Amino acid sequence: MKRLSLGLLSLAAAFYSAGAAATPVTIGFDSLTQSGTGFTSIQFNAGPSLSTYTESGFVLSATGNTPGQSGFGSAHTGEADYYFGSTSLFNDDTNGGLTTLTKLGGGAFSLISMEISALNHTWTFYDNEYVVFTGTLADGSTVTQSALLLNNTSFQTVVFSGFENVVSVSWAQGNAITHAVSQFDNIVVDAATPVVSPTQPSNQVPEPASIALLGAGLLALSRRRRKDGTAV
């Protein structure tokens, strides 16, 4: 019976892992890298009041139609006040402009981590500057996580919890009240639909083909036991 139990466990592990392979990608904004001073501006490229940036199958969008205070910006490598060693993106609306991350074409995904920093290291840095992330899950519910900006000289990594199976994630640029004016980089996401862990309960009914595969494995194990002369 011990052999059979071990065989079942091995087969179950293979069964669950078949659909659970992670495919994380990193949105790093490398295509925006430019030497010298200045900024790359992305404004109204998707509509009169919609600005978007697309990379690795994901879309970042910002709404607003005020020139110079809408869309996205990215500092060139010579902008010492804004460039912290890696090309990043920021929402150009410093009055609370909303940035939204979605999968190109729609659908669920997982947000794993992101690097954030203050936008500029010469501006006054206040205590308790929080960037608040809100994810909308596939079932319509929401999840929220706040990240405290630690300094205004380097990036910090935010690791997200509970942001699996989201269809969008949004966060606001800082303003005169929150002061949390920020930039972001290296967004790690997984486009695959999350698979329920075998250690967690699930109400999903296995597909017929999956049942057949599991049944075939059990039958093979049973025949092997009989061949060894031991009853199953």
Side-chain angles (χ1 to χ4, degrees):
M1 189 66 184
K2 185 176 180 181
R3 272 189 182 178
L4 183 58
S5 298
L6 290 174
L8 282 170
L9 289 173
S10 300
L11 185 60
F15 174 75
Y16 278 105
S17 64
T23 54
V25 296
T26 300
I27 304 171
F29 311 110
D30 293 339
S31 64
L32 300 176
T33 301
Q34 291 192 41
S35 60
T37 58
F39 298 85
T40 297
S41 181
I42 303 173
Q43 285 191 335
F44 318 137
N45 61 326
S49 61
L50 179 62
S51 307
T52 62
Y53 174 83
T54 302
E55 180 180 332
S56 301
F58 287 84
V59 181
L60 288 153
S61 60
T63 56
N65 56 13
T66 303
Q69 280 286 302
S70 300
F72 295 110
S74 180
H76 297 175
T77 60
E79 286 291 339
D81 291 349
Y82 293 82
Y83 185 79
F84 295 167
S86 178
T87 300
S88 62
L89 201 68
F90 59 86
N91 192 307
D92 222 1
D93 181 359
T94 54
N95 192 32
L98 195 68
T99 298
T100 301
L101 172 68
T102 56
K103 188 160 70 171
L104 184 64
F109 63 95
S110 297
L111 175 59
I112 300 170
S113 66
M114 181 189 306
E115 293 182 0
I116 62 173
S117 74
L119 179 60
N120 181 304
H121 77 75
T122 62
W123 295 355
T124 301
F125 186 74
Y126 297 86
D127 293 332
N128 300 319
E129 295 188 19
Y130 285 92
V131 180
V132 181
F133 299 88
T134 301
T136 299
L137 281 71
D139 63 4
S141 61
T142 59
V143 59
T144 302
Q145 183 169 328
S146 299
L148 175 67
L149 287 175
L150 301 178
N151 60 67
N152 61 349
T153 58
S154 62
F155 283 98
Q156 65 192 71
T157 301
V158 178
V159 177
F160 292 92
S161 176
F163 282 71
E164 298 84 18
N165 206 33
V166 294
V167 293
S168 69
V169 179
S170 299
W171 62 99
Q173 182 59 290
N175 55 39
I177 298 175
T178 67
H179 303 297
V181 182
S182 61
Q183 55 182 310
F184 47 89
D185 192 15
N186 292 327
I187 304 172
V188 181
V189 287
D190 190 345
T193 302
V195 176
V196 177
S197 168
T199 61
Q200 297 175 342
S202 172
N203 294 325
Q204 293 180 337
V205 178
E207 297 178 1
S210 302
I211 295 174
L213 176 63
L214 187 59
L218 291 173
L219 181 60
L221 286 171
S222 177
R223 287 176 175 174
R224 182 174 180 178
R225 295 286 291 175
R226 291 195 179 95
K227 186 177 180 180
D228 292 340
T230 305
V232 180

